[in-house]
Amino acid sequence: MATGRTHRPATRSRGIPEATVARLPLYLRALTALSERSVPTVSSEELAAAAGVNSAKLRKDFSYLGSYGTRGVGYDVEYLVYQISRELGLTQDWPVVIVGIGNLGAALANYGGFASRGFRVAALIDADPAMAGKPVAGIPVQHSDDLERIIQDNGVSIGVIATPAGAAQAVCDRLVAAGVTSILNFAPTVLSVPDGVDVRKVDLSIELQILAFHEQRKAGEEAAAGGAQATAARSESADQGPDGDVPAVMPA
Amino acid sequence: MATGRTHRPATRSRGIPEATVARLPLYLRALTALSERSVPTVSSEELAAAAGVNSAKLRKDFSYLGSYGTRGVGYDVEYLVYQISRELGLTQDWPVVIVGIGNLGAALANYGGFASRGFRVAALIDADPAMAGKPVAGIPVQHSDDLERIIQDNGVSIGVIATPAGAAQAVCDRLVAAGVTSILNFAPTVLSVPDGVDVRKVDLSIELQILAFHEQRKAGEEAAAGGAQATAARSESADQGPDGDVPAVMPA
DNA sequence: GAATGTGAAGCTTTTCACAGCG
DNA sequence: CGCTGTGAAAAGCTTCACATTC
């Protein structure tokens, strides 16, 4: 049974709609790529295409940040990179701990995109004493007995849970008690956290099930369409993960 | 430049709203747990708590599937498990290929939740000849030269991309050309696909950036609240990251 | 009495379309 | 003249609250 159930006021955060926040990282990635190619400015149309959204949405999103574009010209790439980074809080350093160094935990530790954008793997933690001291991605794994101390010593406020489902809630409780206020959960479980703590989950099997749903529908339609030539007229479309709904957060 | 841009009619699928589809796997997981404990029936209130949503939403969601509950009593667990499984298309077998057997690909191959719910890892594919033949999670890795043949021989319609970002679009194109119509993308890139192909993305760094945004906001509020005792009255709240949009990760 | 199923209300998000600025 | 910024309309999702059914 769950404890502190977590509802969600669902409101926008500091004026920026949650849906917009969820897209800022996407824009940032596209802008970073342009920046690396030394492209000086970009139009909403071009940037939207690169990020996989439509241009009206992008302009509306940017309008929540301020008026950073120039009419008739577009947006200054470097300037936007900076503004979005700042808005997302990426101009500061975020020490992160990863708990559960199995296959997935190791993959995460090795993930390059981690270090690149303000995030730093401050520690790897596992419950298996045999893992202790073994380096993964160049970082020695520490035993979970020391979890609280590690969190405090490193001033960690973001924790990643990559343990088996059965251990996730207990790990979560300890992380929260030690001061972590944001959790990225890879374990297939619903976590209970007190108010003030954010949880986001990444769940492979849920994603697959959603794909299966649509896949099944396609098959059904084909059959209904009468066997042959059903394919030509089809215009299903797809976009990168529907997104849309969002996460949590907000103050009273 | 993107090619076949992918918009998305965004409409509900066969009468069931997208947001509801995204929650069905959550309900299914909670129901499966109840089923294993031989609980015969459950109320919307209880099930909602277990799934981390509110009960009105859950009832509305179920209403799209039909009237499967009994007033005054609740829902029959076994029956609901079956109905949701069927709706999601999990009563059939879905052969899946994983392309890119690095850290992450291996983690995915070993992921148990995979096999459990109708999904079967039909093949592991990697571009590195040195990997060929090596078993991962008991399945021998095959070279990507054979990708098309593997897809066709196994009747695969769902592909998982766990390659580095640079290789993702090319892999995606080959998968689609070979007949795959649903793709789960872990590479941090926007994929272009023709209409009729679904893409969902899972992106670690995007999730972290969203957490950082909220984390930063909390810090700002605390300061604004005047240093001390700001914590007590706070009622932040959080719920399990809503899924919805998503995005990418990658191996070395 | 208890709990579902659902119209209707309220929000949020997306899209449209165009005025306004460089 | 091109492209941003944004009111206003449309679509979608969530929550309310209660009639309905067992």
Side-chain angles (χ1 to χ4, degrees):
Chain A
M1 271 307 126
T3 351
R5 190 78 328 287
T6 71
H7 71 298
R8 156 162 81 129
T11 330
R12 68 186 40 171
S13 311
R14 180 340 210 19
I16 302 182
E18 215 22 72
T20 295
V21 172
R23 281 186 296 266
L24 292 180
L26 227 51
Y27 301 145
L28 185 55
R29 179 176 292 157
L31 284 163
T32 302
L34 291 172
S35 171
E36 275 161 12
R37 291 196 285 124
S38 302
V39 176
T41 63
V42 66
S43 70
S44 64
E45 202 72 53
E46 292 165 331
L47 184 54
V53 306
N54 87 28
S55 64
K57 194 187 286 183
L58 177 145
R59 287 200 302 279
K60 181 67 98 181
D61 283 342
F62 286 178
S63 79
Y64 294 116
L65 307 183
S67 283
Y68 295 153
T70 308
R71 290 165 202 245
V73 179
Y75 300 92
D76 182 276
V77 172
E78 296 302 331
Y79 187 57
L80 250 192
V81 165
Y82 171 71
Q83 290 298 344
I84 295 178
S85 296
R86 194 177 48 81
E87 198 65 58
L88 285 172
L90 303 182
T91 50
Q92 61 187 279
D93 175 67
W94 293 107
V96 169
V97 296
I98 301 175
V99 186
I101 313 302
N103 270 299
L104 177 61
L108 297 176
N110 279 292
Y111 177 46
F114 233 141
S116 68
R117 280 264 150 231
F119 302 100
R120 177 170 52 84
V121 180
L124 304 179
I125 301 177
D126 199 279
D128 181 359
M131 294 284 296
K134 262 180 50 181
V136 171
I139 302 167
V141 175
Q142 302 184 64
H143 191 267
S144 44
D145 283 351
D146 298 326
L147 187 146
E148 286 75 10
R149 185 186 51 70
I150 296 167
I151 300 290
Q152 272 137 33
D153 286 1
N154 292 279
V156 171
S157 56
I158 300 179
V160 177
I161 298 180
T163 65
Q169 183 64 59
V171 166
C172 173
D173 292 345
R174 289 182 64 188
L175 287 175
V176 170
V180 166
T181 46
S182 288
I183 291 177
L184 182 52
N185 179 30
F186 284 84
T189 318
V190 174
L191 294 179
S192 288
V193 294
D195 282 1
V197 176
D198 276 320
V199 177
R200 293 190 66 86
K201 69 173 170 345
V202 174
D203 193 319
L204 166 67
S205 85
I206 286 182
E207 299 302 324
L208 278 176
Q209 289 175 43
I210 295 171
L211 284 177
F213 173 85
H214 293 297
E215 197 58 40
Q216 174 181 237
R217 240 182 73 262
K218 289 178 204 165
E221 256 161 39
E222 242 150 56
Q229 46 68 286
T231 331
R234 188 87 75 45
S235 164
E236 194 93 6
S237 114
D239 75 342
Q240 243 66 244
D243 97 82
D245 102 45
V246 210
V249 167
M250 89 132 291
Chain B
M1 274 301 123
T3 349
R5 190 75 337 282
T6 70
H7 73 301
R8 158 163 76 129
T11 331
R12 65 187 43 173
S13 312
R14 185 329 214 27
I16 302 182
E18 219 15 77
T20 294
V21 172
R23 281 187 295 267
L24 291 181
L26 227 51
Y27 301 145
L28 185 56
R29 178 176 293 158
L31 284 163
T32 302
L34 292 172
S35 171
E36 275 161 12
R37 293 197 285 125
S38 301
V39 177
T41 62
V42 66
S43 71
S44 63
E45 203 72 54
E46 293 165 331
L47 184 54
V53 305
N54 90 25
S55 65
K57 194 187 286 182
L58 177 144
R59 288 200 302 278
K60 181 67 93 179
D61 283 342
F62 286 178
S63 80
Y64 294 115
L65 307 183
S67 285
Y68 295 154
T70 307
R71 291 165 200 241
V73 179
Y75 300 91
D76 182 276
V77 172
E78 295 302 330
Y79 187 57
L80 250 193
V81 165
Y82 171 72
Q83 291 297 345
I84 295 179
S85 296
R86 193 177 49 81
E87 198 65 60
L88 285 172
L90 305 181
T91 50
Q92 62 187 278
D93 176 67
W94 293 106
V96 169
V97 297
I98 301 175
V99 186
I101 313 302
N103 270 299
L104 177 63
L108 297 176
N110 278 292
Y111 177 46
F114 234 139
S116 67
R117 282 264 148 231
F119 301 99
R120 179 170 51 84
V121 181
L124 304 178
I125 302 178
D126 198 281
D128 180 0
M131 293 284 297
K134 261 179 52 180
V136 171
I139 302 167
V141 175
Q142 302 185 65
H143 191 266
S144 44
D145 283 351
D146 298 325
L147 187 145
E148 287 75 10
R149 185 185 52 70
I150 295 168
I151 300 290
Q152 272 138 33
D153 286 1
N154 293 279
V156 171
S157 56
I158 300 179
V160 177
I161 297 180
T163 65
Q169 183 64 59
V171 166
C172 174
D173 292 345
R174 289 182 63 187
L175 287 174
V176 170
V180 166
T181 47
S182 288
I183 291 177
L184 183 52
N185 179 31
F186 284 85
T189 318
V190 174
L191 294 179
S192 288
V193 293
D195 283 0
V197 176
D198 276 318
V199 177
R200 294 191 66 87
K201 67 180 172 333
V202 175
D203 192 321
L204 168 68
S205 85
I206 285 182
E207 299 301 324
L208 279 177
Q209 289 175 41
I210 295 171
L211 284 176
F213 173 86
H214 293 299
E215 196 59 40
Q216 176 181 236
R217 241 184 70 264
K218 289 178 205 167
E221 255 161 41
E222 242 150 54
Q229 45 68 285
T231 331
R234 191 86 76 44
S235 163
E236 196 93 6
S237 119
D239 77 341
Q240 244 65 244
D243 94 84
D245 98 48
V246 220
V249 169
M250 62 168 279

